[in-house]
């Protein structure tokens, strides 16, 4: 599988752009987003997370593994989506489930605010 590591920071625009870029990759393989909270958005946090959830549905991402308190709003917006979409409070459980889910050829996009330490997912996949 291929990992796109965009885990250093996240705001609404950079997250949306990353999802768009993933969806535009010409590939018949599955496209997976591992997303942590976008922090420091102030009173717009919930709204922006909801918009990202709707955007993930629109872009027909195959699976979303979300981590964090605000990310629950992403998953709520995906409720009627046919794609796999799970919320995690424990990053180690997310990593374990992602390892079971991954198949050869998958493309995994990892995104989240710096303090969410989403690079831990990459380290976990390598162990």
């Amino acid at each position: 599988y291929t990992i796109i590591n965009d885990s250093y920071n996240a705001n609404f625009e950079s997250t949306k752009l990353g999802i768009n870029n993933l969806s535009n990759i010409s590939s018949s393989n599955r496209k997976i987003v591992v997303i942590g909270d976008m922090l420091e958005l102030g009173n717009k946090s919930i709204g922006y997370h909801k918009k990202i959830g709707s955007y993930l549905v629109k872009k027909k991402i195959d699976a979303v593994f979300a981590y964090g308190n605000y990310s629950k709003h992403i998953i709520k917006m995906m409720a009627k989506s046919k794609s796999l979409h799970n919320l995690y409070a424990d990053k180690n459980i997310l990593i374990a489930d992602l390892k079971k889910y991954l198949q050869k050829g998958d493309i995994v996009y990892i995104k989240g605010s710096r303090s969410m330490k989403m690079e831990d997912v990459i380290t976990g996949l390598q162990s």
Side-chain angles (χ1 to χ4, degrees), residues 8-56:
Y8 186 73
N9 62 19
N11 59 43
F12 175 72
E13 289 300 325
S14 68
T15 301
K16 189 175 174 185
L17 181 62
I19 293 165
N20 185 62
N21 289 341
L22 172 66
S23 71
N24 287 335
I25 293 172
S26 180
S27 173
S28 60
N29 297 319
R30 298 185 307 176
K31 296 173 184 175
I32 301 162
V33 171
V34 179
I35 191 164
D37 290 349
M38 300 176 290
L39 301 174
E40 301 174 12
L41 297 177
N43 61 359
K44 296 183 179 184
S45 289
I46 292 172
Y48 280 139
H49 283 84
K50 286 180 177 180
K51 286 180 181 181
I52 289 298
S54 296
Y55 196 68
L56 285 161

Side-chain angles (χ1 to χ4, degrees), residues 10-12 15 19 33-41 44-57 63-79 84-91 94 109-118 121:
N11 59 43
F12 175 72
T15 301
I19 293 165
V33 171
V34 179
I35 191 164
D37 290 349
M38 300 176 290
L39 301 174
E40 301 174 12
L41 297 177
K44 296 183 179 184
S45 289
I46 292 172
Y48 280 139
H49 283 84
K50 286 180 177 180
K51 286 180 181 181
I52 289 298
S54 296
Y55 196 68
L56 285 161
V57 173
V64 176
F65 292 75
Y67 172 70
N69 293 325
Y70 284 111
S71 291
K72 68 184 172 193
H73 301 289
I74 293 171
I75 298 303
K76 282 181 183 177
M77 295 306 291
M78 297 185 73
L84 175 72
H85 50 281
N86 291 323
L87 176 66
Y88 296 87
D90 183 320
K91 206 181 298 174
L94 182 155
Y109 175 66
I110 301 178
K111 186 71 169 171
S113 281
R114 181 72 222 115
S115 60
M116 296 303 291
K117 299 181 180 178
M118 296 307 291
V121 174

Side-chain angles (χ1 to χ4, degrees), residues 77-102:
M77 295 306 291
M78 297 185 73
K80 294 182 180 176
S81 171
K82 293 180 183 178
S83 68
L84 175 72
H85 50 281
N86 291 323
L87 176 66
Y88 296 87
D90 183 320
K91 206 181 298 174
N92 291 319
I93 296 172
L94 182 155
I95 293 165
D97 285 357
L98 181 58
K99 279 182 171 181
K100 291 177 198 170
Y101 182 78
L102 283 173

